[in-house]
Amino acid sequence: MDSPTEPGVAAPDPHHSEVTLRVNGKPYTLTVDHRSVLLDVLREDLDLTGAKKGCDHGQCGACTVLVDGRRVNSCLLPAVAQDGCDITTIEGLAGGDVVEEEGLAGGDGLVEGGAAGLHPLQRAFLERDAFQCGYCTPGQICSALGALAEAEAGHPSHVTDPAWPSGQPVPLGRDEIRERLSGNLCRCGAYVHIVEAVEDVIR
């Protein structure tokens, strides 16, 4: 039986909660539906359309963003569970003047920063022509950034030499890069250039 409320006092909404998300360095306080996933809140409430809705099942990587520095599939994360988290999307990787370049930022192809202000991974993707339609590119770049951090922190992958010292930064050759980015699909088949772009940033 529902507990009574005082006259004139609205009953608590059991389906919505107020959360504060720090997105690209800026705090946003929102009332979100408990069923909403982070991807939908970013795209529909904050108008950050870089992360894409591809499979909606966490299998393609198009929705990849960074939460507290770790790469995640934002289509699977309940937004209400991210209260207080630091979230980085493709739009937050560079700043400054706006230039057009398909796929490196929002859904309209706008990139913050111009050529000089781009994040090194964004610049490498441009120089290596590591995209075609650009739909998966924001997720590819955010995933690569997360993978670099994981390797630097000593997290092994499936192809890491078992004899490698635990906790030591893992060197990223092509096999390591391919394995660590294997959860991000590119329907245009730009994988070779994607690997080369990540290699350029490592050097």
Side-chain angles (χ1 to χ4, degrees), residues 150-151 153-162 164 166-168 170 176 180:
E150 290 164 11
H155 299 306
S157 77
H158 181 68
V159 300
T160 302
D161 185 347
W164 188 256
S166 178
Q168 294 298 308
V170 179
E176 280 281 357
R180 290 172 187 267

Side-chain angles (χ1 to χ4, degrees), residues 11-19 30-36 80:
D13 184 346
H15 305 298
H16 295 78
S17 292
E18 185 177 275
V19 298
L30 309 162
T31 298
V32 299
D33 189 308
H34 294 168
R35 298 166 296 179
S36 296
V80 70

Side-chain angles (χ1 to χ4, degrees), residues 3-13:
S3 59
T5 58
E6 295 183 17
V9 177
D13 184 346

Side-chain angles (χ1 to χ4, degrees), residues 71 140 143-144 146-165 168-184 191 194-196 198-199 202:
R71 53 184 174 157
Q140 297 277 1
S143 185
L148 293 176
E150 290 164 11
E152 181 64 25
H155 299 306
S157 77
H158 181 68
V159 300
T160 302
D161 185 347
W164 188 256
Q168 294 298 308
V170 179
L172 292 179
R174 291 196 170 192
D175 287 343
E176 280 281 357
I177 295 170
R178 291 190 190 102
E179 172 62 25
R180 290 172 187 267
L181 297 185
S182 61
N184 290 76
Y191 296 112
I194 290 171
V195 171
E196 290 174 347
V198 176
E199 282 184 311
I202 296 169

Side-chain angles (χ1 to χ4, degrees), residues 3 8 29 34 37 43 56 61 68 83-84 103 106 125 142 147 152 168:
S3 59
T29 298
H34 294 168
V37 294
R43 292 180 59 84
D56 214 20
D68 290 337
D83 188 23
F125 267 64
C142 285
E152 181 64 25
Q168 294 298 308

Side-chain angles (χ1 to χ4, degrees), residues 40-148:
D40 291 338
V41 170
L42 292 173
R43 292 180 59 84
E44 298 172 14
D45 296 332
L46 301 182
D47 200 29
L48 296 171
T49 56
K52 300 298 192 290
K53 181 170 285 195
C55 66
D56 214 20
H57 288 81
Q59 296 178 347
C60 73
C63 66
T64 303
V65 299
L66 302 174
V67 174
D68 290 337
R70 300 186 66 179
R71 53 184 174 157
V72 297
N73 291 320
S74 61
C75 74
L76 297 181
L77 293 185
V80 70
Q82 312 313 308
D83 188 23
C85 291
D86 282 300
I87 298 161
T88 303
T89 70
I90 190 70
E91 291 91 344
L93 295 188
D97 297 330
V98 175
V99 296
E100 283 196 18
E101 193 61 56
E102 184 62 32
L104 293 185
D108 56 5
L110 292 179
V111 179
E112 298 291 338
L118 291 176
H119 186 279
L121 273 168
Q122 291 174 306
R123 190 178 302 111
F125 267 64
L126 279 172
E127 292 172 352
R128 286 291 186 176
D129 197 22
F131 56 92
Q132 290 185 38
C133 77
Y135 194 83
C136 74
T137 308
Q140 297 277 1
I141 292 175
C142 285
S143 185
L145 188 60
L148 293 176

